[in-house]
Amino acid sequence: MLRLGAQRLRGLPLPSLPLRGSPGRPRSACSRQGEENPPSSAETRWKDKAETVIIGGGCIGVSLAYHLAKAGMKDVVLLEKSELTAGSTWHAAGLTTYFHPGINLKKIHYASIKLYEKLEEETGQVVGFHQPGSIRIATTPVRVDEFKYQMTRTGWHATEQYIIGPEKIQEMFPLLNMNKILAGLYNPGDGHIDPYSLTMALASGARKYGALLKYPAPVTSLKPRSDGTWDVETPQGSMRANRIVNAAGLWAREVGKMVGLEHPLIPVQHQYVVTSTIPEVKALKRELPVLRDLEGSYYLRQERDGLLFGPYESQEKMKVQDAWVTNGVPPGFGKELFESDLDRIMEHVEAAMEMVPVLKKADIINIVNGPITYSPDILPMVGPHQGVRNYWVAIGFGYGIIHAGGVGKYLSDWILHGEPPFDLIELDPNRYGKWTTTQYTEAKARESYGFNNIVGYPKEERFAGRPTQRVSGLYKTLESKCSMGFHAGWEQPHWFYKPGQDTQYRPSFRRTNWFEPVGSEYKQVMQKVGVIDLSPFGKFNVKGQDSVRLLDHLFANVIPKVGFTNISHMLTPKGRVYAELTVSHQTPGEFLLITGSGSELHDLRWIEEEAVNGGYNVEIKNITDELGVLGVAGPHARKVLQKLTTEDLSDDVFKFLQTKSLKVSDIPVTAIRISYTGELGWELYHRREDSAALYDAIMNAGQEEGIDNFGTYAMNVLRLEKAFRAWGSEMNCDTNPLEAGLEYFIKLNKPADFIGKQALKQIKAKGLKRRLVCLTLATDDVDPEGNESIWYDGKVVGNTTSGSYSYSIQKSLAFAYVPVELSKVGQQVEVELLGKNYLASIIQEPLVLTEPTRNRLWKKSGKDKI
């Protein structure tokens, strides 16, 4: 009982929670009323062959079966070990929201809600969908800033979202204590749905469209065949599948082990509390919006005539079911719950009672404490897995109900059309690797759970589980000198500090303590010479009889000559930018491919799949962890490096985009004359164990030239000023290379019929609807980061992709997509930053000419004319 107040609540006995069939159970944690035995599917059929076998009958797996079958795929089979919704789905709180702090997942949320709105009409199954809206509560000024930050990131999406004031909040939720409330973030159409009914409606639809849902049918073995198909073993018999999809929820780790993978997942306990009827709630004329008290770290919604609230306790107090990681999920577990533990969430109960005072006199009728699965970063893993052919995953869902509809459609489209329907790399299962240990997974899952409602800053860093085993050879040398960032398991310097400077991690929506140091690093590279650790790059060696033919098929650019490098793009069949890599032709038929740290296995999977499907005779090796990389850039880079090598580094002998094997201070390196800074520079690839010695030699040799370190923040400023695009920002699976301004790298007239060539020709013939442009704007103390709304004539017309402060012109600088008719140089638009629109002008790019361009013009026209 809550009526006695939180302090006396600790010693009170609470009702135990029966496992099923309780008439007092909250709607969101019930199976079918009166159900005594787990049901079996009515299906008596068995198929020897299937196009797609989905393993797991929670809302995710059933949604995928529904979407594949509805889209026309024949022979879709779902295998569930016990009964539909067993595991996490059946006891979920069922919250649905359009909101997500990221960009791409908003589309998943949107698709889910739009499906749920129509599902009852389509299937005839009641789904219990309530859409009273939701309000996120801000009780601190920084939280109001976060709402403004999120508003500009939502303005160019279909989602409705508004900042509302205290009066409107009280009108919509009259039971609130308004003392501390400053603002609310309101999403109309948010709400909650009954997870069991949702899953049954999706199952009904899946069967209607021809899918076979079989249960109980536990998968006991998965055996890959040489042709890429699978033999799926169950007690009922064996089935041949063209692909398998692991959607096994709590059992996803066990399924992964069957194919030799250790998926980084861990079950955590999550509790929510359900009250009996509250008179003040019963007297309301309309359902209350879902409330999220972010400082109190809980959600609260109406449940019949009472309330339901669920907290996210701190990482120190939350409970991980780590024994399941070691020993597996207990046999027979399906629709069971853990014993409740009110003490663990008491501070959140008290916060809820302060915010919603009627809770103080309410009776608790149930505390639901069930397992949900967390990945290290709280996001699910969705898509094909690198290293195992035709093995897909849809696992690690901490919020499976709101993701189910959208992810089912997303994966269905990808499977059917051979490419993702839109960019969602943050869910790529290949963002993890061998460095993702069980210890790391547990540490990050604790952190992610506890951080559910913390302020989401730009450039956010989270420190649990770090460093991993994946540190460069410079980590110990540099860790005390800089602020490190986390990149696919690696630690990489973001910015360096000097004696007397503030060294703390101080995230902010405005300029913060790294602003001045990054400006110094920028000047260091522009005026002298700087060194940067680039070891996190993904690095692949490709060689063999068909290597040239494979790469010519993969890349839209021509294959560089031996001894040279170029920038190349892999496109999807629909002509969108799947990846950007640096391709170096080292010896005849042998190539070094370089990609960004975040897309290492994402790119490798695509390359390997094309090699296998096309029957190319090549050897592909991931050498990411074997090589370290140092970048040396700035006007004095040549002078410093020349002291350490007998190789002639002069401009005429070691040309821009040339690659050579040489020795620097007697250390073997592969040197490429290229720099993402756009200044004179080299990237030096070497054995990881040689990094410290190579770094020391370069730093010692550069003392006379005033050499110093620089980090990725300064490099980002430098590349933006040179108008260099970044994969994941200016280009991705949502963009084609023509609108991104990459025409120089796309060779539509080359003989090879590279992937996406025909689609790109059609795109070019039809004409573009938008273009990437470069903007400058004068702001206060805030700079664009990317994904902000672009306004023109009172309407949102586009979005930024990345941005920063330009230390050369002392203004903000950003890339942005705008309609073609607004893309001319001199056009003025507005950029929304923290609730204010700033006037911006489209400029001729680049803002600063690259060193090779300056050098070429100097030679052509003479120094005085530059």
Side-chain angles (χ1 to χ4, degrees):
M1 292 168 55
L2 291 171
R3 76 162 70 95
L4 298 178
Q7 296 308 311
R8 294 182 59 190
L9 221 168
R10 298 177 191 276
L12 290 176
L14 293 164
S16 61
L17 193 60
L19 290 182
R20 59 167 70 88
S22 165
R25 177 178 300 287
R27 175 176 55 74
S28 51
C30 68
S31 55
R32 288 173 284 183
Q33 295 299 317
E35 179 184 291
E36 296 299 330
N37 298 302
S40 296
S41 56
E43 296 281 1
T44 57
R45 294 179 295 148
W46 183 259
K47 292 190 175 185
D48 294 326
K49 292 183 179 180
E51 180 67 25
T52 300
V53 167
I54 301 161
I55 305 169
C59 60
I60 301 294
V62 177
S63 173
L64 177 57
Y66 161 86
H67 281 97
L68 283 173
K70 185 176 181 180
M73 179 179 283
K74 307 299 182 186
D75 297 326
V76 176
V77 177
L78 182 145
L79 301 175
E80 159 56 40
K81 71 186 297 291
S82 58
E83 56 180 307
L84 299 186
T85 76
S88 294
T89 297
W90 74 279
H91 64 72
L95 299 181
T96 57
T97 177
Y98 283 113
F99 177 86
H100 193 276
I103 296 301
N104 302 321
L105 270 167
K106 296 182 197 298
K107 300 175 186 177
I108 294 291
H109 288 210
Y110 185 87
S112 290
I113 290 175
K114 292 308 175 187
L115 171 66
Y116 301 165
E117 288 174 345
K118 299 176 181 178
L119 196 57
E120 189 169 319
E121 179 184 350
E122 179 186 342
T123 65
Q125 299 279 320
V126 174
V127 297
F129 193 21
H130 296 240
Q131 293 184 278
S134 78
I135 306 173
R136 284 170 169 73
I137 297 297
T139 55
T140 65
V142 73
R143 198 64 85 166
V144 176
D145 272 353
E146 182 186 26
F147 288 0
K148 292 175 180 177
Y149 176 72
Q150 286 300 334
M151 282 300 296
T152 188
R153 294 161 66 84
T154 302
W156 51 284
H157 285 268
T159 300
E160 273 192 90
Q161 186 169 287
Y162 308 97
I163 292 180
I164 57 176
E167 289 185 8
K168 184 65 175 177
I169 295 171
Q170 189 165 37
E171 177 190 328
M172 297 174 69
F173 203 120
L175 306 181
L176 285 177
N177 173 3
M178 300 299 297
N179 287 346
K180 297 180 180 178
I181 295 176
L182 301 177
L185 195 65
Y186 172 53
N187 287 99
D190 282 12
H192 52 97
I193 195 167
D194 176 22
Y196 181 88
S197 299
L198 167 65
T199 307
M200 292 306 155
L202 290 167
S204 175
R207 293 188 187 101
K208 170 184 172 183
Y209 297 118
L212 171 64
L213 278 60
K214 195 77 176 171
Y215 52 92
V219 173
T220 56
S221 173
L222 295 169
K223 296 178 180 177
R225 295 171 56 84
S226 59
D227 63 355
T229 61
W230 290 87
D231 284 335
V232 182
E233 304 282 351
T234 78
Q236 283 91 334
S238 179
M239 184 178 297
R240 181 75 47 81
N242 287 345
R243 75 182 55 78
I244 52 177
V245 183
N246 181 352
L250 293 173
W251 295 270
R253 280 181 63 91
E254 281 89 324
V255 173
K257 287 179 180 178
M258 292 182 190
V259 303
L261 295 174
E262 289 282 345
H263 293 308
L265 300 170
I266 199 160
V268 304
Q269 294 187 17
H270 177 63
Q271 300 184 91
Y272 61 82
V273 178
V274 187
T275 76
S276 61
T277 295
I278 298 173
E280 292 88 343
V281 175
K282 188 173 183 178
L284 294 169
K285 302 296 184 186
R286 62 177 181 230
E287 183 176 354
L288 292 166
V290 177
L291 186 79
R292 290 176 174 83
D293 178 359
L294 302 174
E295 305 311 321
S297 192
Y298 63 86
Y299 56 82
L300 181 146
R301 68 167 175 82
Q302 188 170 334
E303 174 71 6
R304 296 192 177 98
D305 292 328
L307 295 172
L308 176 157
F309 63 97
Y312 290 97
E313 58 269 39
S314 68
Q315 57 184 305
E316 293 80 18
K317 292 185 176 181
M318 63 85 69
K319 188 162 184 180
V320 168
Q321 203 65 18
D322 46 12
W324 289 14
V325 175
T326 307
N327 306 320
V329 181
F333 185 91
K335 288 195 170 180
E336 288 71 36
L337 294 169
F338 303 117
E339 187 173 339
S340 61
D341 184 0
L342 199 62
D343 283 346
R344 205 164 75 221
I345 59 173
M346 184 51 63
E347 65 181 283
H348 307 282
V349 173
E350 292 169 349
M353 289 192 297
E354 182 181 355
M355 183 63 74
V356 187
V358 296
L359 280 172
K360 293 178 181 177
K361 50 186 179 180
D363 294 336
I364 293 176
I365 58 170
N366 275 324
I367 301 177
V368 176
N369 185 12
I372 55 177
T373 306
Y374 262 46
S375 70
D377 63 8
I378 213 170
L379 296 176
M381 290 174 268
V382 176
H385 206 288
Q386 186 271 332
V388 186
R389 289 177 69 191
N390 297 318
Y391 173 77
W392 296 61
V393 296
I395 57 179
F397 288 85
Y399 312 99
I401 304 305
I402 184 54
H403 288 154
V407 163
K409 180 68 165 67
Y410 178 84
L411 261 186
S412 172
D413 286 352
W414 193 347
I415 288 170
L416 289 166
H417 302 301
E419 64 178 274
F422 53 87
D423 179 57
L424 206 57
I425 193 172
E426 60 265 54
L427 302 195
D428 188 350
N430 305 300
R431 67 188 185 272
Y432 299 118
K434 294 177 181 177
W435 53 270
T436 317
T437 62
T438 299
Q439 293 77 13
Y440 171 83
T441 299
E442 178 173 342
K444 296 306 285 188
R446 284 186 175 280
E447 178 185 60
S448 294
Y449 186 93
F451 281 7
N452 249 287
N453 291 300
I454 67 164
V455 175
Y457 290 104
K459 292 184 170 66
E460 183 186 51
E461 287 292 321
R462 297 187 176 186
F463 298 98
R466 295 170 53 184
T468 71
Q469 65 194 43
R470 211 176 200 193
V471 293
S472 83
L474 292 184
Y475 177 71
K476 290 185 178 179
T477 302
L478 299 180
E479 64 173 325
S480 63
K481 301 176 182 178
C482 66
S483 177
M484 291 277 188
F486 190 73
H487 299 267
W490 297 88
E491 300 289 333
Q492 186 174 27
H494 276 173
W495 60 279
F496 288 82
Y497 31 75
K498 301 296 183 186
Q501 290 181 335
D502 183 358
T503 64
Q504 299 302 306
Y505 170 66
R506 300 196 187 281
S508 175
F509 295 104
R510 295 175 169 81
R511 293 170 191 159
T512 183
N513 59 331
W514 53 259
F515 182 76
E516 295 296 339
V518 170
S520 298
E521 293 172 34
Y522 168 87
K523 292 176 183 175
Q524 176 71 34
V525 175
M526 290 296 291
Q527 298 173 4
K528 297 179 183 178
V529 57
V531 178
I532 184 170
D533 184 4
L534 300 173
S535 297
F537 280 164
K539 317 165 194 84
F540 318 130
N541 180 266
V542 179
K543 63 182 179 180
Q545 178 181 329
D546 295 334
S547 60
V548 172
R549 200 162 59 86
L550 170 64
L551 298 187
D552 216 13
H553 170 68
L554 282 169
F555 291 114
N557 205 345
V558 295
I559 303 303
K561 296 176 182 178
V562 175
F564 285 87
T565 296
N566 69 15
I567 307 298
S568 295
H569 300 85
M570 296 194 296
L571 308 183
T572 71
K574 292 183 180 178
R576 294 181 288 190
V577 186
Y578 187 83
E580 180 184 72
L581 294 92
T582 302
V583 179
S584 296
H585 201 162
Q586 295 181 292
T587 61
E590 183 170 357
F591 296 86
L592 176 65
L593 273 53
I594 306 299
T595 188
S597 57
S599 49
E600 173 197 343
L601 299 182
H602 167 272
D603 295 0
L604 181 61
R605 185 202 66 80
W606 185 272
I607 296 167
E608 290 175 336
E609 184 174 285
E610 288 299 324
V612 170
N613 292 344
Y616 293 93
N617 182 6
V618 293
E619 179 186 330
I620 302 166
K621 186 179 179 183
N622 186 358
I623 54 174
T624 299
D625 290 348
E626 297 175 19
L627 298 183
V629 191
L630 287 181
V632 183
H636 298 322
R638 178 181 287 115
K639 187 176 180 183
V640 171
L641 289 176
Q642 192 64 80
K643 298 176 186 179
L644 300 171
T645 183
T646 57
E647 187 78 32
D648 188 348
L649 302 183
S650 63
D651 189 60
D652 292 335
V653 177
F654 204 142
K655 297 178 172 63
F656 178 57
L657 293 180
Q658 210 167 354
T659 177
K660 295 184 180 184
S661 294
L662 50 89
K663 287 189 175 181
V664 175
S665 188
D666 288 328
I667 296 170
V669 305
T670 294
I672 305 175
R673 191 178 154 194
I674 194 172
S675 176
Y676 202 36
T677 66
E679 294 302 306
L680 174 64
W682 280 263
E683 290 175 359
L684 306 176
Y685 294 79
H686 55 276
R687 294 186 310 165
R688 192 166 157 190
E689 55 267 35
D690 289 336
S691 291
L694 181 61
Y695 171 83
D696 287 343
I698 293 170
M699 296 301 284
N700 289 332
Q703 290 303 302
E704 186 180 339
E705 289 74 22
I707 198 168
D708 210 343
N709 298 293
F710 72 105
T712 58
Y713 285 3
M715 185 165 69
N716 187 53
V717 177
L718 289 156
R719 72 96 184 171
L720 279 165
E721 290 189 349
K722 307 302 194 307
F724 290 167
R725 279 72 170 147
W727 193 89
S729 298
E730 284 69 54
M731 53 180 145
N732 54 30
C733 288
D734 293 329
T735 60
N736 68 66
L738 304 182
E739 64 188 2
L742 298 170
E743 295 95 332
Y744 177 80
F745 306 101
I746 308 300
K747 310 302 184 187
L748 287 172
N749 59 349
K750 81 172 189 175
D753 188 21
F754 61 83
I755 300 170
K757 184 177 185 178
Q758 300 310 315
L760 211 52
K761 285 182 176 179
Q762 293 177 12
I763 290 169
K764 186 174 183 179
K766 289 179 181 177
L768 301 176
K769 294 181 179 179
R770 64 173 189 167
R771 283 190 183 277
L772 187 72
V773 298
C774 196
L775 301 169
T776 59
L777 58 157
T779 67
D780 306 320
D781 61 344
V782 59
D783 298 299
E785 291 281 336
N787 299 311
E788 293 97 358
S789 294
I790 301 292
W791 291 77
Y792 179 76
D793 198 21
K795 296 178 182 178
V796 175
V797 295
N799 62 280
T800 62
T801 56
S802 56
S804 74
Y805 182 79
S806 166
Y807 294 91
S808 68
I809 61 169
Q810 298 184 8
K811 285 184 178 181
S812 292
L813 184 66
F815 273 127
Y817 276 106
V818 297
V820 169
E821 61 270 22
L822 297 178
S823 64
K824 292 183 175 60
V825 172
Q827 175 70 53
Q828 292 194 324
V829 292
E830 294 176 325
V831 179
E832 181 185 346
L833 300 171
L834 294 185
K836 181 178 177 180
N837 285 13
Y838 293 89
L839 193 64
S841 298
I842 297 176
I843 64 166
Q844 180 69 49
E845 59 177 76
L847 178 66
V848 177
L849 294 175
T850 63
E851 182 272 339
T853 303
R854 298 195 304 263
N855 193 34
R856 186 174 66 251
L857 292 174
W858 183 83
K859 287 181 177 179
K860 183 178 180 181
S861 304
K863 184 177 179 181
D864 294 338
K865 296 183 180 180
I866 302 299

